[in-house]
Amino acid sequence: MANALYSTRAITVEHVTIRSTKPFKDVRAKLATLAPRIDDGIFTLLRYGESTRALRELEASSPLTIFGQRDHGALLAIAGQTRRSIQYDIGNPLTASKMTRHQLSAGLYAPIRVLLREDGDGGVGFEYDRPASVFGQFGNDEVNVVAQQLDRDLQALLEAAAT
């Protein structure tokens, strides 16, 4: 490792929880309606150099989409537990590009990871790390402006899904 250099530093991250009184399945279904799965055709267009067309399609799409999801609750079967918990990657490629063009390392956090989980007592909630606090570590004004809008958009989406 003679040629490898690394550094570390601590950052402060704000963690958000949005609780719902609705059943898990209802919150999950509403989220899927409000934030549809990303159209993977966008990446095909970009791969073939159709960036103008991809931009038009992104501008016409939902502000936030689901890039992927994992049934995190299923992993608890290893420990003999049964819980409902879905981990989502939620974002917008256009929003991500508005940040990574100024700070490529912002790609580490785009899309945003969101957890929808059901507590042992049946309570349901979303959890995520506030984008402005995560992206704020880069100290870039252009990134911060986009991250603050992402904060508002993500909070509005999750509150709408929770109600």
Side-chain angles (χ1 to χ4, degrees), residues 84-156:
R84 292 189 284 189
S85 178
I86 306 293
Q87 186 183 76
Y88 294 95
D89 294 326
I90 298 177
N92 181 307
L94 191 53
T95 300
S97 75
K98 288 178 182 177
M99 290 188 280
T100 56
R101 73 182 68 167
H102 300 291
Q103 181 68 46
L104 192 55
S105 297
L108 179 61
Y109 303 103
I112 299 295
R113 186 169 285 177
V114 174
L115 184 71
L116 170 61
R117 49 116 180 102
E118 184 176 58
D119 295 331
D121 63 2
V124 174
F126 286 109
E127 293 189 51
Y128 65 96
D129 293 335
R130 221 175 120 240
S133 70
V134 173
F135 292 110
Q137 70 180 292
F138 301 115
N140 185 296
D141 291 339
E142 290 91 351
V143 171
N144 290 341
V145 167
V146 176
Q148 289 165 3
Q149 183 61 52
L150 181 55
D151 271 358
R152 292 186 290 273
D153 292 344
L154 185 60
Q155 180 177 344

Side-chain angles (χ1 to χ4, degrees), residues 33-72:
T33 300
L34 296 171
R37 174 110 173 94
I38 190 165
D39 178 0
D40 288 328
I42 295 295
F43 300 107
T44 302
L45 289 172
L46 292 170
R47 209 171 13 259
Y48 288 101
E50 296 285 336
S51 57
T52 302
R53 185 171 162 203
L55 176 60
R56 278 195 314 267
E57 291 192 23
L58 285 170
E59 289 173 336
S61 69
S62 297
L64 293 172
T65 57
I66 296 173
F67 280 62
Q69 64 186 46
R70 288 162 294 287
D71 186 347
H72 192 75

